[in-house]
Amino acid sequence: MKIPVGYTFAAAAASFKKPGKLDLGAIVSRTPAVAAGVFTTNKFQAAPVLQCKEMLADGRKMSGFLANSGQANACTGDEGRANCRETLNLAAKALGVPADELLPASTGVIGAQFNMQKWADVMPALNESLSTAGPEDTARAIMTTDTVHKLAESSFTLKGGEVRLLGMCKGAGMISPKMATMLCFVACDADISAEAWQTMLADCVNLTINRVTVDGDMSTNDCVLALANGESGVAIESEDDYVLLRKHLLAVLEELAYKIVMDAEGGTKVAFIEVSGAKNDLDAEKVARAVGNSPLVKTALFGSDPNWGRIICAAGYSGADFKAEDLVLKIGGVLVFRDGTPEPGDMDDLLKPIMKERDIVIHIDVGDGPGSSMLLASDLTREYVSINADYRS
Amino acid sequence: MKIPVGYTFAAAAASFKKPGKLDLGAIVSRTPAVAAGVFTTNKFQAAPVLQCKEMLADGRKMSGFLANSGQANACTGDEGRANCRETLNLAAKALGVPADELLPASTGVIGAQFNMQKWADVMPALNESLSTAGPEDTARAIMTTDTVHKLAESSFTLKGGEVRLLGMCKGAGMISPKMATMLCFVACDADISAEAWQTMLADCVNLTINRVTVDGDMSTNDCVLALANGESGVAIESEDDYVLLRKHLLAVLEELAYKIVMDAEGGTKVAFIEVSGAKNDLDAEKVARAVGNSPLVKTALFGSDPNWGRIICAAGYSGADFKAEDLVLKIGGVLVFRDGTPEPGDMDDLLKPIMKERDIVIHIDVGDGPGSSMLLASDLTREYVSINADYRS
């Protein structure tokens, strides 16, 4: 794994989760970096989300991220905001960076206040880990119900030299496409302007992380934060440079998006829902979301049941503007339904082996319009229910 | 149980479902009745829905309903429409009513064509049952994954005499609030104009059946059909008469709506989600629906977990226009959250006994606007997943 130049990692166990489990992580850049962020659009924004937005508003460079799992610090009012600032003070001292250059993120149970004593107690361990922890430990520290940690990397060479990108995220549940979902951190050593970096991040997030759904629930804490510290010495100057960096950022985020859905709470399947021929992209997205969030489609995926009527039913109530007779449905490349009628032949026989795969491509064409969209969706399983019914017990 | 005057019932086993199970039902009025209907707004409307809409369009009186379970006759194209008409011909002959006065309804798997031989074979049994079957058997014949049949009745007296209302429905899954959900039949012996009956039905459905959600999936076959045959000899003439009949129709539909949620697929809880103080009713409904359809809220209900942050999170992404700091949340009458901050004290201790109840009242006030809404929502359980993953196997 190629680590971008100038970044170090920290991870420690603060007993926010079960004692001994990594639940506090940090990424530090020795050079203040250009910083970009994309955040949840939920009305109730967690204290760390509000804090990040405030810090990024004035375009200052940032030196790292601080992220904890186990508690969301959301719906915690003024006390939550004050606690968030105090954790930055404590961690900045321990990590040797200015407190106003450390971006916070939290994930876990909504509504409970931090136990500040635990934060104070863990700081020596966090400091000590900074020299030894790799990105894997930090990626583990931000997990909640995730079963695997999620990393992605990419690198490329320009005339100035090699540029490296490293991304990590946590996903699992309370995952929905309408925003920057879950926690995601990207470290890059390119030299790029703050404005270009922010534009590129928002653009790439919209094509990747915002195109996944586990349960249609949009979290209060979602954010994607990205640093570019310039330490590779490679400047992104020309249009071609920009396009190349964008391609690699997109690849990193695409990989993380797939990993989120693959590791969805209780998930066993990944549906690639492709919609084409819609009046516009928004209408295509409505169809994709209705299908990807339908509990009946998701349970059929889980059961490997080629019950394709549920897909058409969901498209029909999606609110998208199209004619019922124009819809053409293909599953795994097999034509299933067109002209308002099922294709002849034993569909079940044809579709059963396709439905048994882990990755299933569902293509829905709704006309001859220019609108298209794509969504990665997980299935809905007994295990998802178990995880979330018993989350706090 | 008071049967409205002039109605008889039929029920038979046609092997659409497992052999021997009642899966075809009919209600016949010996006098042609004023008829009203409310239908799904799904773009893909089942053959019987299209047929009913065509039949009701010209305001003719109707003599009954014919309903089968096991197959939805949806997404079946022209062949499905022709089959639907043929089933009406067969059943009308067997039941002794004109074919163009029998309203069809179907529920079950989407996309498969009827086996017309089974329809022909069952007609003698349907005819025979007409004299003996009660409304219970007919209500059983329309069940799919329902675990109990669902009936409701009401009656009242005007100066002309007694008026009786009888309603039956099937629910269980693919249940969402945006339309007339599931199959529901109402028989009434009042003498009322077609226009007033239709207005009253649409109005009452909107306040009851359209206010329930099991899984947010809107079916292709949903309809509420209602007959008023005038056989009580009681005319609904004055404004007061209208108000009284409306009150009783509302009561019948309210009871059926509750029964649908109580018998939701795999359901163990009924949440009464009340929203007030919104800018308008539509905004209030957005909040209620986001909360009632959130898989995380629904799994917390199932787990009796007072994880109230999930309720606030769902309200926050509902798209309704309100200020985060205005939201006040009460669960079972207990104040949980206001001014952007959780109430002090051990909420878990207070809420745990409330969350263990079958019926749970969640009240969300989002400001001082006039908008309000109510929604009955089921929980999300392992059993729901099992039922729907293995529905056809």
Side-chain angles (χ1 to χ4, degrees), chain A residues 42-43 217 313 316-317 382 386, chain B residues 42 217 313 317 322 382 386:
Chain A
N42 195 306
K43 255 184 208 302
D217 268 294
C313 178
Y317 67 67
R382 284 180 281 267
S386 297
Chain B
N42 195 305
D217 268 295
C313 178
Y317 67 67
F322 67 91
R382 285 180 281 268
S386 297

Side-chain angles (χ1 to χ4, degrees), chain A residues 102-131:
Chain A
L102 203 51
L103 292 162
S106 298
T107 178
V109 179
I110 296 171
Q113 299 290 359
F114 278 156
N115 176 334
M116 293 307 294
Q117 192 56 50
K118 287 185 180 177
W119 281 88
D121 291 347
V122 76
M123 287 305 151
L126 190 70
N127 168 285
E128 201 167 319
S129 73
L130 190 59
S131 56

Side-chain angles (χ1 to χ4, degrees), chain A residues 73-308:
Chain A
N73 198 8
C75 297
T76 47
D78 293 340
E79 188 181 339
R81 281 302 296 278
N83 282 343
C84 178
R85 280 188 293 266
E86 180 55 18
T87 64
L88 295 179
N89 289 334
L90 288 168
K93 205 177 292 177
L95 299 168
V97 299
D100 61 353
E101 293 184 9
L102 203 51
L103 292 162
S106 298
T107 178
V109 179
I110 296 171
Q113 299 290 359
F114 278 156
N115 176 334
M116 293 307 294
Q117 192 56 50
K118 287 185 180 177
W119 281 88
D121 291 347
V122 76
M123 287 305 151
L126 190 70
N127 168 285
E128 201 167 319
S129 73
L130 190 59
S131 56
T132 56
E136 293 82 5
D137 273 356
T138 307
R140 275 184 202 109
I142 60 173
M143 289 163 61
T144 52
T145 53
D146 304 66
T147 66
V148 292
H149 66 283
K150 300 170 186 74
L151 286 163
E153 62 171 333
S154 198
S155 59
F156 60 97
T157 303
L158 287 179
K159 63 175 189 297
E162 191 174 26
V163 171
R164 297 155 207 87
L165 283 150
L166 175 71
M168 65 175 66
C169 69
K170 61 87 43 181
M174 206 179 258
I175 303 278
S176 166
K178 254 189 186 163
M179 31 69 251
T181 319
M182 39 78 262
L183 302 187
C184 178
F185 304 103
V186 177
C188 174
D189 53 16
D191 176 10
I192 185 173
S193 78
E195 202 183 348
W197 189 230
Q198 175 68 42
T199 304
M200 189 184 290
L201 180 71
D203 184 21
C204 291
V205 165
N206 200 33
L207 291 170
T208 55
I209 304 280
N210 276 0
R211 292 282 177 273
V212 307
T213 185
V214 170
D215 47 19
D217 268 294
M218 186 202 298
S219 155
T220 46
N221 289 55
D222 300 326
C223 63
V224 181
L225 294 168
L227 297 182
N229 68 2
E231 287 228 12
S232 63
V234 183
I236 303 298
E237 288 165 331
S238 70
E239 179 69 22
D240 281 356
D241 296 351
Y242 184 92
V243 167
L244 193 59
L245 177 58
R246 183 182 176 286
K247 185 181 131 188
H248 286 265
L249 178 60
L250 198 62
V252 166
L253 292 175
E254 256 169 8
E255 187 177 333
L256 292 175
Y258 178 81
K259 284 182 171 173
I260 287 171
V261 179
M262 206 179 66
D263 190 36
E265 282 177 344
T268 67
K269 305 268 183 169
V270 180
F272 291 73
I273 302 166
E274 303 167 353
V275 180
S276 62
K279 220 169 156 182
N280 50 51
D281 289 353
L282 192 67
D283 260 20
E285 204 182 321
K286 279 183 190 169
V287 173
R289 276 203 204 146
V291 173
N293 283 324
S294 157
L296 290 169
V297 172
K298 291 165 101 76
T299 46
L301 286 169
F302 171 52
S304 298
D305 179 2
N307 197 338
W308 54 266

